[in-house]
Amino acid sequence: MCNTANNPVLELCGVGLGYGRSPLLQEIAFRLERGQVGCLLGKSGTGKTTLLRGIAGLEPLQAGTIRAHGKLLSAPEHHTPPERRSIGMVFQEGALFPHLSVAENIAFGLTGTNPRQRVAQLAELLGLSALLARYPHEISGGQQQRVALARAAAPCPSLLLLDEPFANLDPALREHLAGELRRLFRQDGITALMASHNQEDAFAMADRLGVLHGGKLLQWDSPFQVYHRPADIYVADFVGEGCLIDGTVLSAHQVETALGVIEDGNPHGCAPHHSVRVLIRPDDILHDDDSTLTATVVAKVFRGAAFLYTLQLQDGPQVYSLVPSHHDHPVGEPIGIRLEIDHLVVFPGSIHNVQT
């Protein structure tokens, strides 16, 4: 097991980062406890890599503080050098040593009496055992990325930063590797922070998920909460799939929509008679041949175990529904549906005023 100090392993408070006078990121605040995996999710250019570089000590702060195990690492007037932070980092391009073999790359930075055992363990875990004698130019880009991951994890850093770690891997390997890395991090007590634009990678890896947009961290929470309880309209639209449909508030617990009256045991916070936008996820709408509520299939995407149907409701709006793939309905056919939703996610205003 790797040795780490008391929680939190990483804490950011009011962090501002960027280039020149205008910071790219402002008021970034979150924390990671020991053994947690966090993910910064956002489109290209939102500052994910810049934030990782700031944590690693490669970029100075314009505002705020970064602490690890309670120790100040960065502030506008303070900067701990990268080599004194005990932080590992995997860049998107891997950056292997070309003159070292795969085994030597993984072992680089290892200390102790038996580095070979650690190299062999990681090589087996990441599918690199047959490549240990080769050099970086003799292996593929995806294999190089796995070597970079093994090298960064080998010394059991208290904090590991991962910049798009699965970018060069095919989908099947991404899913397998995500599971293996999660197991390794738990086993070794490694805390990790990953930057990604890929939501599937984020959901597969993260205990805590943060959405970056417009220089702000819009939400930092569990992936379940970010998906089911998005903090604002951008997060609702960006994370996962779903549709926003118009509704009218009936009470603190009820909203009337084209799908009928939707109820929630918890108050949604909008005043009666106001117009709202209601978030409907594909798993909120079930195919039901016996239902009197119908919608017409206007598009479909085959996903193996399920179809993702785009459905046109009789009163106008479109919604998505995930339907088991043995229910293969052609475009243009009406099908019965029913709503199965146990909570309301609403935002003030009409759908026509959505700004994302």
Side-chain angles (χ1 to χ4, degrees), residues 2-302:
C2 299
N3 293 319
T4 58
N6 293 330
N7 297 333
V9 171
L10 177 68
E11 186 170 26
L12 278 69
C13 182
V15 165
L17 268 166
Y19 309 98
R21 294 183 179 180
S22 299
L24 174 63
L25 297 166
Q26 303 175 55
E27 294 296 322
I28 304 298
F30 64 87
R31 59 191 287 165
L32 276 175
E33 311 293 342
R34 181 181 182 275
Q36 285 186 331
V37 178
C39 180
L40 300 167
L41 183 64
K43 297 179 181 179
S44 297
T46 54
K48 302 184 299 297
T49 298
T50 299
L51 187 52
L52 291 187
R53 289 176 59 85
I55 296 168
L58 301 174
E59 300 291 345
L61 294 197
Q62 295 181 337
T65 59
I66 297 174
R67 297 178 184 273
H69 307 292
K71 179 182 178 181
L72 182 64
L73 297 182
S74 291
E77 70 285 353
H78 176 86
H79 184 79
T80 301
E83 65 272 15
R84 293 176 52 197
R85 297 192 177 207
S86 299
I87 294 175
M89 185 164 182
V90 179
F91 294 96
Q92 185 173 348
E93 58 273 12
L96 299 179
F97 298 111
H99 62 290
L100 299 182
S101 68
V102 167
E104 290 167 335
N105 263 284
I106 297 173
F108 186 85
L110 277 178
T111 59
T113 58
N114 197 3
R116 290 185 179 180
Q117 183 178 353
R118 181 65 171 167
V119 169
Q121 176 200 17
L122 291 168
E124 181 178 359
L125 181 72
L126 300 178
L128 300 169
S129 297
L131 307 176
L132 290 176
R134 298 187 187 180
Y135 287 83
H137 71 275
E138 298 176 316
I139 60 178
S140 70
Q143 290 167 337
Q144 291 179 24
Q145 188 71 358
R146 280 182 277 159
V147 175
L149 285 167
R151 183 182 64 187
C156 289
S158 63
L159 177 63
L160 180 58
L161 307 177
L162 308 168
D163 188 13
E164 299 281 1
F166 309 125
N168 298 318
L169 307 179
D170 63 73
L173 183 56
R174 293 166 86 113
E175 184 175 355
H176 170 76
L177 188 56
E180 293 297 328
L181 284 177
R182 286 282 306 175
R183 184 168 66 86
L184 175 68
F185 294 163
R186 288 195 188 100
Q187 171 187 300
D188 289 348
I190 295 174
T191 304
L193 180 63
M194 178 176 82
S196 180
H197 70 279
N198 187 294
Q199 297 183 28
E200 292 183 2
D201 292 346
F203 287 142
M205 288 288 291
D207 300 299
R208 287 291 179 268
L209 180 61
V211 179
L212 284 172
H213 177 67
K216 301 286 188 178
L217 185 64
L218 301 183
Q219 187 168 359
W220 178 263
D221 212 326
S222 70
F224 182 92
Q225 287 293 103
V226 173
Y227 180 85
H228 286 289
R229 297 283 188 184
D232 66 15
I233 201 75
Y234 180 85
V235 177
D237 183 66
F238 179 66
V239 176
E241 295 167 320
C243 297
L244 290 161
I245 66 173
D246 281 329
T248 301
V249 176
L250 300 179
S251 71
H253 301 275
Q254 294 181 316
V255 174
E256 185 174 29
T257 72
L259 289 163
V261 176
I262 305 174
E263 299 189 37
D264 191 346
N266 298 310
H268 50 66
C270 295
H273 311 301
H274 280 208
S275 295
V276 292
R277 292 154 286 177
V278 182
L279 176 64
I280 304 294
R281 297 292 193 190
D283 47 315
D284 292 331
I285 296 180
L286 303 184
H287 179 28
D288 185 351
D289 289 327
D290 297 326
S291 175
T292 58
L293 178 63
T294 62
T296 301
V297 178
V298 296
K300 57 193 288 190
V301 177
F302 181 64

